[in-house]
Amino acid sequence: MNTRQGQVAAGGEKSTSRSRMDNWLLILGIIIVAAALRAPFTSVGPLVKTIRDDLGLSNTAAGAITTLPLLAFALLSPFAPKLARRFGLANVLVASMLLLSIGILIRSAAGTGMLFLGTAILGLSIAVCNVLLPGLIKGKFPQNTGLMTGIYSVSMNLCAAVASGISVPLATQTGLGWKGTLAIWFVIAALSTLLWIPQIRNLEQRSPGAARATGGNLWRSRLAWQVTIFMGLQSLLYYVMIAWFSVILVERGMTLSHAGWILSIMQLAQLPFTFFIPLLAGRMKNQRSFVIGIVVLYIVGIGGVWLGSTSWMLLWACSIGIAGGSSFGLVMMFFSLRTRSTQQAAELSGMAQSIGYMLAAAGPALFGLLHDLTGSWTLPLILLLGASVVLLLVGLGAGSNRYVGDRRLRVVDKQS
């Protein structure tokens, strides 16, 4: 009897040890995937002029290099949950990371055609992972959703900032050129693919019937639309400021290097808040106080850029950066906090990111067009302040303690 109990205990210890190892591999896989989702994208921006001159592209075509992935995010995001339900979440993630690796290599191969083909491929791959990972985190770490969302967000944004900062030095000081510099990110994408292969076996798959039962028609849910618009507006604010902030500062009299330094500070200011906001939000009954704080910071920062002194520009930049990091971390948590299942979280993520990246893709171009038409940054900045007010209105709804798809919620939606 004792021998049998000892064998059972030994087997239990091995099972527990294996389970812990599987969890650590999953956490590492999430971190590496998050790193791979932004670096191939953000590394292009600083090299656009070099790429344009080398390939003889027009400004419109050069701009499409950064716009194309955003359009891919918007188009494919709603279909990612359906792919996961049909083929299994881990299978789809592995295939997406493999496709991302291939896309990076194709983009760096040769010629304009390969550049745009590879960019489209990696955009589609990133879109799938963007949508599915928040749902995966909710399903596999239900007691630590805030912590894992924070880790995921920090990894994504930290690597995005690093990639932006080192692209030009790598291209100009190492002899790699723009093709070699963009190809470097193949290493992270390939590593993430290898780390995810064991997850095909380890991740438990829901039955198709259960997955369908949890989804609901989110497109008819007022709460889902509030989360979606919150996602869209915070994306628009972020990408507009990334695209035009340096230009605004230069026109205000700063040197290009000084403006670039302040832009970097703005991005670095996001990082602590992309971690701590999800961690704190998951412990709160509702997140409305965070929404109010975020909007106040946006209004202070954007208002300062518009009317404030340039000597205070670092303060305005930090205010915008903190608001951006907080809003991104918060909306990533909304996908978990406002849903009851992994599949539902993935579907809400898909809906919100589809609309969100449509706004993100259109925002910088519209912002620039308004400047060209008026000859001033006044109207564009006023519209950003207006977008911040709308962010507050939808954020108060998105931050309430409710779930999309609940019958009680649908009754409230109809009454309102």
Side-chain angles (χ1 to χ4, degrees):
M1 189 71 174
N2 290 336
T3 302
R4 204 174 284 175
Q5 289 176 344
Q7 290 173 343
V8 171
E13 290 176 1
K14 289 181 180 179
S15 177
T16 301
S17 177
R18 189 181 302 112
S19 177
R20 287 176 180 171
M21 180 61 69
D22 290 343
N23 279 337
W24 281 112
L25 285 175
L26 179 58
I27 292 170
L28 181 60
I30 290 172
I31 293 171
I32 300 298
V33 168
L37 294 185
R38 285 296 179 269
F41 177 64
T42 59
S43 60
V44 174
L47 298 173
V48 164
K49 184 178 183 299
T50 303
I51 296 171
R52 182 196 65 188
D53 295 342
D54 184 42
L55 297 178
L57 301 176
S58 65
N59 285 326
T60 302
I65 299 172
T66 54
T67 302
L68 191 57
L70 294 176
L71 293 176
F73 297 169
L75 292 173
L76 190 59
S77 291
F79 301 102
K82 296 178 176 61
L83 291 173
R85 190 166 59 225
R86 173 68 177 83
F87 300 104
L89 189 146
N91 292 326
V92 173
L93 282 173
V94 169
S96 296
M97 296 312 299
L98 179 60
L99 199 60
L100 175 61
S101 305
I102 295 171
I104 291 172
L105 292 180
I106 291 175
R107 181 179 65 173
S108 305
T112 303
M114 300 295 276
L115 171 67
F116 284 102
L117 176 61
T119 299
I121 290 174
L122 68 88
L124 294 172
S125 305
I126 293 172
V128 173
C129 297
N130 275 342
V131 170
L132 297 183
L133 279 175
L136 171 70
I137 290 172
K138 178 179 177 64
K140 296 302 293 184
F141 303 96
Q143 305 302 319
N144 296 287
T145 302
L147 175 62
M148 287 305 303
T149 301
I151 291 172
Y152 163 73
S153 300
V154 166
S155 178
M156 183 184 297
N157 288 286
L158 177 61
C159 285
V162 169
S164 296
I166 68 174
S167 289
V168 172
L170 282 176
T172 58
Q173 298 177 18
T174 65
L176 289 173
W178 68 266
K179 293 180 182 177
T181 300
L182 295 184
I184 281 178
W185 304 109
F186 166 82
V187 176
I188 295 181
L191 177 60
S192 65
T193 305
L194 294 175
L195 285 173
W196 270 92
I197 290 176
Q199 302 303 334
I200 294 176
R201 174 180 57 84
N202 294 334
L203 286 180
E204 296 178 1
Q205 303 298 323
R206 290 183 177 271
S207 67
R212 281 193 295 269
T214 60
N217 190 346
L218 299 185
W219 295 87
R220 296 182 179 179
S221 167
R222 181 180 181 181
L223 177 57
W225 274 105
Q226 288 170 332
V227 173
T228 295
I229 297 172
F230 189 92
M231 172 69 190
L233 290 176
Q234 69 87 28
S235 296
L236 181 143
L237 289 164
Y238 173 78
Y239 283 103
V240 164
M241 296 310 296
I242 288 295
W244 292 108
F245 190 51
S246 294
V247 179
I248 294 173
L249 297 186
V250 170
E251 292 193 11
R252 292 285 300 273
M254 288 190 181
T255 65
L256 185 60
S257 60
H258 190 190
W261 175 73
I262 290 183
L263 178 61
S264 297
I265 294 296
M266 186 183 79
Q267 294 184 76
L268 290 174
Q270 299 182 62
L271 294 179
F273 296 89
T274 58
F275 177 77
F276 287 111
I277 291 297
L279 192 61
L280 296 173
R283 299 175 180 178
M284 299 176 68
K285 185 176 181 180
N286 67 68
Q287 295 74 40
R288 291 179 172 181
S289 58
F290 283 140
V291 172
I292 294 171
I294 286 167
V295 173
V296 168
L297 287 169
Y298 267 131
I299 290 174
V300 169
I302 296 169
V305 172
W306 175 28
L307 300 173
S309 169
T310 54
S311 61
W312 290 86
M313 198 58 72
L314 185 60
L315 175 62
W316 315 139
C318 287
S319 181
I320 294 170
I322 293 169
S326 300
S327 59
F328 178 80
L330 187 59
V331 79
M332 290 294 106
M333 276 301 290
F334 282 160
F335 301 149
S336 296
L337 294 174
R338 303 285 85 90
T339 56
R340 293 189 180 276
S341 69
T342 299
Q343 181 65 26
Q344 197 178 56
E347 292 186 1
L348 179 59
S349 175
M351 173 182 171
Q353 295 197 52
S354 175
I355 302 298
Y357 286 116
M358 281 185 186
L359 287 173
L366 177 61
F367 197 78
L369 176 62
L370 290 173
H371 173 264
D372 291 343
L373 292 175
T374 62
S376 167
W377 294 110
T378 297
L379 180 58
L381 288 170
I382 289 174
L383 289 180
L384 287 188
L385 289 173
S388 300
V389 174
V390 178
L391 187 74
L392 172 65
L393 297 178
V394 297
L396 291 176
S400 60
N401 187 23
R402 300 179 294 171
Y403 296 96
V404 299
D406 281 3
R407 291 183 179 180
R408 178 177 59 84
L409 178 59
R410 285 199 290 269
V411 171
V412 172
D413 288 347
K414 290 177 181 178
Q415 291 175 346
S416 58

